[in-house]
């Protein structure tokens, strides 16, 4: 190539690189480590952070030091003072920490201490794992431009098992997530370790996630075959230095499907032997295998009830085989029969309270935040607080199955905090769901929390650029359920979009209002399960075909005399499964919060709401308000033109434009449909449905990503 052309080519390449390095494609998530622009703050940090003193004996320690170098060099550049003070990093097993005589007794194996000692700054922990968590916490401190001079943070996780649940299939489709294919490239494993596996592990470790369930709860026994256990081993070996244990989902019929037995009866000696041998085999591949998550006797999944046994028989079969290896079983409470014996809301409580005390100590009941199914809002599941002898794994959905997939902007921390702070009154006031899950109400040893992941192999991991806030928020709340939604939103925003205060204020305001906005513009006032069947994207209040509890009419019960599901003692009495203090408040439409009103009550269209509006008008006005607030999110985001890089700004703008169209469609479809029952006029102030009801009922969406019915 002619020398000038070579120079030009190199110049162009460098320009391209320069442009690309500022084009934020989202791959770095919240671990961007962009240079601190505020020179005064950067100088204050450089003065407090001299050379790093650390010893990288273990892989984990090396990862911690590498992360620290990556972070400090990104944030502060490499020209840090060569003079004291220093950044002292490590455990009391290293001299420079030991000589400080710090009290680390409250930190356990995962906690960390960030503090100043004389002029030095210290990151200390009892283990290298704690040091890694401390490094990420320290870098988060710098990324959010928090002051260093009075640094004093001692933090230890309140819940031991903090897991992502990937509803990922071995064919690399992902159930209920729209973001490309599964990040687990099964066919290439164990030969090739994708570099992004390390970045996945870094992101999880940065927020304290210490476990990952690699496979879908609609389980596939193939993953238990040696051919796949080799692959699982490769992932486990990759994730282990980041403190991430690997778990799998166990298909209950595996002894039949891959074991050649003619039964999977949990009390059958051959079945017991099969699972013991299989589990021992798994541990030869993954010595620290975390254990199993099991979906059984639900939505067609096999389970013990096929053999006249119960959930305890099934869970204990696996638990007894896992116990010698320190493995656990998270047995899902998301169960409902094909014949509708009672209000579906009641079935899990009915089945599992009867089994309380029968489970092995290494069994936890994995329970969704609410009793139906990850609706945009649900009252807390009555099982929380109802099984003193059985711990619960709180299962939250990070992926937005009923909340617009990776198209709609919905920051979920406020919804999760609502559940966590709900009082079960199990042992008097203050028995919150959070304290049931962290074991403090009933002194449960086994504590766990799970988030159904919203991650796929798209470049930015979560599709919607703002959806990564939910992966982040899950990890932060799993570590400490006391952290506020506001603090988490502020942290994530600063780490992801920088520290310009006006930009941070606009983005955090959008995040913090987005969940209520989506509820109000889709399923307001306690309405639930009125989505389009199958793919669950968009409205379907008219859906009444097939099994009742998979329809919409079963839940809203709209008729000429009103709308809502009577779950009080005059109806299904699902409310009766809650503590008396909860029943007392929720039994009356006058005292229950409006946000749960139609979840527990069937009311006349003219029922007078607390606002003075009739129920019909309140429903219309609430939908309108929700749609207006989606429009406002778009306007606020438009104000960030130039403040946010063009690539991410353009994508979020397009998504918010679509979200506004979707919200208007949802409102129009539902109000046009409900008006056929209310027969009442729309309030003057709302934008009445643009089209006749038939238009909305006939609308079809094809090939919606994540729809299990379209994945094979
Ligand atoms: O929300 C429903 C989903 C299913 C899911 C099921 C479950 C994995 O529609 O796709 O299956 O819940 O939680 O098991």
């Amino acid at each position: 190539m002619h020398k000038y052309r070579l120079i030009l080519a190199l110049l162009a390449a460098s320009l391209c690189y320069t442009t690309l390095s500022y084009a934020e494609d989202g791959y770095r998530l919240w671990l961007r480590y962009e240079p601190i622009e505020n020179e005064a703050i950067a100088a204050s940090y450089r003065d407090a952070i001299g050379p790093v003193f650390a010893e990288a004996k273990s892989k984990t320690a090396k990862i911690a030091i590498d992360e620290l170098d990556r972070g400090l060099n990104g944030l502060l550049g490499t020209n840090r003072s060569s003079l004291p003070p220093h950044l002292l990093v490590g455990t009391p097993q290293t001299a420079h920490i030991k000589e400080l005589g710090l009290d680390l007794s409250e930190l356990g194996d995962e906690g960390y201490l960030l503090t100043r000692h004389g002029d030095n700054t210290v990151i200390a922990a009892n283990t290298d794992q704690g040091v890694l968590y401390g490094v990420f916490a320290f870098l988060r401190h710098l990324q959010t431009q928090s002051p260093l001079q009075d640094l004093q943070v001692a933090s230890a996780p309140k819940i031991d098992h903090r897991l992502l649940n990937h509803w990922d299939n071995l064919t690399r489709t992902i159930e209920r997530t729209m973001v490309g294919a599964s990040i687990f490239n099964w066919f290439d494993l164990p030969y090739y370790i994708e570099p992004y596996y390390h970045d996945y592990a870094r992101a999880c470790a940065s927020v304290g996630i210490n476990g990952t369930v690699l496979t879908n709860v609609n389980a596939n026994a193939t993953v238990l075959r040696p051919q796949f256990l080799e692959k699982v081993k490769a992932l486990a070996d990759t994730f282990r230095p980041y403190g991430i244990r690997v778990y799998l989902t166990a298909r209950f019929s595996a002894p039949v499907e891959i074991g050649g037995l003619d039964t999977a009866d949990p009390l059958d000696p051959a079945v017991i032997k099969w699972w013991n041998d299989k589990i021992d085999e798994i541990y030869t591949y993954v010595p620290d295998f975390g254990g199993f998550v099991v979906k059984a006797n639900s939505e067609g999944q096999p389970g013990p009830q096929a053999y006249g046994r119960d959930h305890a028989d099934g869970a204990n079969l696996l638990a007894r085989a896992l116990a010698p290896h320190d493995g656990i079983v998270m047995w899902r409470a998301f169960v409902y029969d094909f014949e509708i014996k009672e209000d579906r809301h009641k079935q899990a409580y009915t089945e599992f309270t009867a089994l309380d005390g029968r489970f092995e100590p290494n069994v936890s009941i994995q329970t969704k935040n609410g009793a139906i199914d990850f609706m945009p809002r649900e009252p807390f599941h009555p099982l929380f607080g109802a099984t003193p002898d059985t711990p619960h794994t709180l299962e939250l959905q990070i992926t937005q199955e009923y909340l617009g997939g990776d198209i709609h902007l919905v920051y979920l921390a406020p919804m999760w905090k609502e559940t966590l702070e709900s009082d079960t009154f199990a042992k008097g006031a203050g028995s919150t769901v959070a304290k049931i899950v962290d074991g403090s109400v009933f002194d449960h040893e086994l504590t766990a929390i799970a988030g159904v992941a919203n991650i796929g192999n798209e470049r930015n991991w979560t599709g919607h650029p703002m959806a990564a806030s939910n992966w982040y928020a899950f990890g932060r709340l799993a570590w400490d359920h006391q952290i506020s939604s506001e603090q988490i939103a502020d942290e994530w925003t600063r780490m992801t979009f920088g520290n310009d205060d006006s930009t941070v204020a606009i983005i955090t305001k959008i995040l913090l209002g987005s969940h209520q906005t989506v509820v109000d513009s889709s399923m307001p006032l306690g309405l639930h399960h009125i989505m389009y069947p199958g793919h669950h994207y968009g409205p379907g209040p008219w859906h009444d075909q097939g099994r009742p509890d998979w329809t919409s009419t079963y839940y809203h019960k709209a008729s000429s005399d009103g709308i809502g599901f009577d779950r009080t003692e005059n109806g299904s009495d699902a409310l009766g499964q809650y503590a008396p203090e909860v029943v007392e408040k929720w039994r009356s439409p006058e005292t229950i919060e409006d946000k749960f009103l139609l979840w527990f009550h069937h009311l006349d269209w003219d029922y007078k709401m607390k606002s003075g509006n009739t129920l019909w008008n309140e429903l219309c006005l609430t939908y309108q308000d929700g749609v207006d607030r989606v429009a406002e999110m778009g306007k606020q985001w438009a104000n960030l033109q130039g403040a946010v890089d063009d690539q991410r700004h353009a994508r979020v703008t397009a998504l918010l434009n679509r979200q506004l169209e979707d919200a208007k469609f949802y409102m129009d479809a539902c109000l046009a449909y409900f008006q056929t029952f209310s027969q009442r006029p729309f309030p003057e102030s709302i934008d009445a449905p643009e089209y006749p009801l038939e238009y909305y009922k006939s609308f079809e969406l094809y090939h919606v990503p994540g729809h299990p019915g379209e994945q094979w």
Side-chain angles (χ1 to χ4, degrees):
M1 176 185 278
H2 189 281
K3 67 173 179 166
Y4 287 120
R5 273 211 292 278
L6 176 63
I7 290 168
L8 284 176
L10 290 173
L11 183 62
S14 70
L15 275 180
C16 169
Y17 174 74
T18 310
T19 317
L20 275 181
S21 67
Y22 287 103
E24 300 259 6
D25 61 9
Y27 179 78
R28 294 181 296 167
L29 294 165
W30 51 85
L31 300 176
R32 294 159 58 247
Y33 303 138
E34 284 291 291
I36 291 177
E37 290 156 356
N38 181 315
E39 191 36 51
I41 290 178
S44 74
Y45 287 162
R46 287 194 194 94
D47 292 346
I49 306 169
V52 175
F53 262 55
E55 292 166 12
K57 288 211 173 76
S58 69
K59 270 190 181 178
T60 301
K62 176 141 182 28
I63 288 168
I65 300 312
D66 288 351
E67 191 70 30
L68 200 50
D69 279 347
R70 182 196 294 226
L72 294 179
N73 292 344
L75 291 160
L76 298 172
T78 53
N79 58 336
R80 294 197 301 282
S81 155
S82 58
L83 302 172
H86 297 91
L87 179 57
L88 310 178
V89 183
T91 68
Q93 283 67 48
T94 50
H96 57 277
I97 296 295
K98 185 176 174 58
E99 71 194 20
L100 304 179
L102 300 169
D103 174 14
L104 306 181
S105 58
E106 298 300 308
L107 298 182
D109 289 343
E110 296 184 289
Y112 55 82
L113 172 65
L114 308 181
T115 189
R116 301 300 301 278
H117 194 280
D119 285 342
N120 294 329
T121 303
V122 181
I123 303 173
N126 290 314
T127 68
D128 288 345
Q129 186 57 48
V131 167
L132 178 60
Y133 291 141
V135 160
F136 279 117
F138 180 70
L139 290 171
R140 177 166 63 235
H141 200 81
L142 303 187
Q143 287 173 279
T144 55
Q145 297 191 4
S146 310
L148 268 190
Q149 64 270 21
D150 303 324
L151 181 66
Q152 178 66 27
V153 176
S155 180
K158 291 185 169 64
I159 296 171
D160 291 342
H161 301 268
R162 307 178 298 279
L163 316 175
L164 288 183
N165 283 197
H166 290 273
W167 285 359
D168 292 30
N169 298 308
L170 302 179
T171 51
R172 293 193 77 184
T173 57
I174 312 174
E175 186 153 352
R176 305 302 181 191
T177 293
M178 300 179 163
V179 194
S182 170
I183 56 171
F184 305 123
N185 188 344
W186 291 105
F187 195 67
D188 282 21
L189 286 163
Y191 304 95
Y192 181 57
I193 302 300
E194 301 275 3
Y196 66 66
Y197 291 150
H198 290 279
D199 291 322
Y200 163 80
R202 283 179 57 232
C204 288
S206 75
V207 288
I209 292 169
N210 66 357
T212 182
V213 185
L214 303 176
T215 47
N216 192 352
V217 288
N218 291 326
N220 184 331
T222 302
V223 77
L224 302 177
R225 292 178 183 280
Q227 180 186 123
F228 271 80
L229 293 179
E230 283 288 355
K231 301 170 189 280
V232 172
K233 169 182 169 45
L235 290 173
D237 292 347
T238 305
F239 299 151
R240 186 173 295 113
Y242 297 88
I244 298 168
R245 286 174 82 177
V246 151
Y247 302 69
L248 294 173
T249 49
R251 184 156 172 88
F252 200 78
S253 52
V256 176
E257 292 178 35
I258 65 171
L261 301 188
D262 57 10
T263 177
D265 179 347
L267 302 188
D268 182 296
V271 172
I272 294 168
K273 181 179 187 315
W274 189 87
W275 278 111
N276 276 276
D277 294 346
K278 176 53 66 179
I279 285 163
D280 290 346
E281 181 189 8
I282 292 172
Y283 279 91
T284 64
Y285 291 90
V286 185
D288 61 346
F289 178 65
F292 288 135
V293 174
V294 182
K295 171 178 181 178
N297 296 121
S298 164
E299 296 187 335
Q301 291 300 305
Q305 292 174 349
Y307 305 95
R309 314 298 185 192
D310 59 33
H311 294 296
D313 297 325
N316 291 340
L317 160 70
L318 304 177
R320 290 177 188 127
L322 285 162
H325 303 280
D326 187 30
I328 64 172
V329 173
M330 289 164 280
W331 189 273
R332 296 178 84 227
F334 182 68
V335 294
Y336 55 95
D337 281 342
F338 272 106
E339 62 280 355
I340 313 292
K341 287 191 291 247
E342 57 182 353
D343 171 1
R344 174 169 143 184
H345 192 294
K346 300 175 73 174
Q347 191 158 341
Y349 179 97
T350 305
E351 289 200 34
F352 284 92
T353 49
L355 300 172
D356 191 28
R358 289 248 333 265
F359 293 98
E360 291 291 318
N362 60 330
V363 175
S364 175
I365 304 303
Q366 181 159 315
T367 304
K368 292 187 178 181
N369 54 291
I372 295 298
D373 188 9
F374 291 138
M375 290 295 116
R377 165 173 278 123
E378 300 206 16
F380 73 92
H381 199 303
L383 259 179
F384 291 111
T387 60
D389 297 327
T390 311
H392 285 267
T393 301
L394 170 59
E395 181 178 316
L396 302 170
Q397 195 174 43
I398 308 169
T399 193
Q400 295 166 213
E401 173 180 355
Y402 299 98
L403 286 149
D406 74 330
I407 305 298
H408 295 175
L409 194 164
V410 192
Y411 174 58
L412 297 170
M415 174 170 82
W416 298 337
K417 288 289 286 183
E418 241 179 48
T419 297
L420 288 164
E421 290 169 354
S422 295
D423 200 337
T424 70
F425 293 94
K427 285 176 81 172
S431 307
T432 60
V433 170
K435 292 186 183 313
I436 299 284
V437 175
D438 75 15
S440 52
V441 170
F442 292 122
D443 294 328
H444 288 149
E445 265 302 297
L446 175 51
T447 59
I449 185 169
V452 181
N454 63 344
I455 299 163
N457 75 337
E458 266 205 43
R459 178 72 183 159
N460 75 359
W461 305 85
T462 60
H464 200 301
M466 309 303 275
S469 64
N470 292 323
W471 178 3
Y472 181 89
F474 171 75
R476 298 287 283 126
L477 286 170
W479 179 278
D480 180 0
H481 50 64
Q482 297 297 310
I483 305 178
S484 71
S485 302
E486 291 75 11
Q487 178 187 333
I488 294 170
D490 184 76
E491 287 176 2
W492 178 80
T493 300
R494 291 179 180 277
M495 295 162 84
T496 305
F497 289 99
N499 284 275
D500 172 76
D501 286 338
S502 61
T503 299
V504 170
I506 290 173
I507 293 178
T508 50
K509 184 167 187 286
I510 288 173
L511 288 171
L512 289 163
S514 62
H515 171 248
Q516 188 59 47
T517 293
V518 168
V519 169
D520 287 347
S521 56
S522 64
M523 303 188 200
L525 300 176
L527 283 175
H528 53 286
H529 207 283
I530 61 172
M531 69 283 167
Y532 195 89
H535 56 63
H536 297 165
Y537 188 97
W542 45 79
H543 177 51
D544 60 1
Q545 300 302 308
R547 55 173 295 160
D549 64 343
W550 281 8
T551 67
S552 300
T553 50
Y554 174 87
Y555 294 94
H556 62 62
K557 303 197 185 301
S559 62
S560 55
D561 73 356
I563 186 170
F565 197 128
D566 184 349
R567 291 191 166 110
T568 68
E569 66 269 28
N570 304 319
S572 75
D573 200 20
L575 182 59
Q577 295 182 334
Y578 289 91
E581 296 87 341
V582 176
V583 174
E584 194 47 40
K585 180 172 183 186
W586 286 356
R587 69 189 318 173
S588 157
E590 272 73 54
T591 52
I592 191 170
E593 304 95 315
D594 282 354
K595 64 187 177 182
F596 295 138
L597 186 67
L598 303 178
W599 183 282
F600 286 108
H601 297 276
H602 183 87
L603 298 169
D604 189 277
W605 295 111
D606 290 328
Y607 171 79
K608 187 173 283 302
M609 300 290 287
K610 298 177 183 73
S611 64
N613 294 321
T614 64
L615 171 57
W616 168 248
N617 284 345
E618 185 90 353
L619 189 63
C620 297
L621 294 166
T622 305
Y623 267 114
Q624 183 65 61
D625 191 41
V627 171
D628 292 347
R629 298 202 315 270
V630 174
E632 183 56 25
M633 287 201 291
K635 291 190 191 98
Q636 286 302 316
W637 183 262
N639 293 337
L640 295 175
Q641 179 81 51
V644 168
D645 59 280
D646 292 346
Q647 185 172 355
R648 288 185 297 176
H649 190 269
R651 184 162 186 185
V652 174
T653 299
L655 289 164
L656 283 170
N657 289 339
R658 181 173 180 181
Q659 184 171 347
L660 179 54
E661 277 185 37
D662 288 347
K664 185 69 179 90
F665 188 96
Y666 220 115
M667 166 181 167
D668 288 359
C670 292
L671 290 185
Y673 173 73
F674 290 135
Q675 190 188 41
T676 64
F677 298 99
S678 74
Q679 293 297 307
R680 284 159 175 76
F682 295 119
E684 284 297 311
S685 63
I686 77 161
D687 304 330
E690 285 181 63
Y691 305 103
L693 176 57
E694 268 324 299
Y695 168 82
Y696 303 103
K697 290 178 76 169
S698 61
F699 186 82
E700 288 280 340
L701 267 183
Y702 300 98
H703 304 305
V704 178
H707 178 200
E710 302 226 2
Q711 292 187 340
W712 36 68

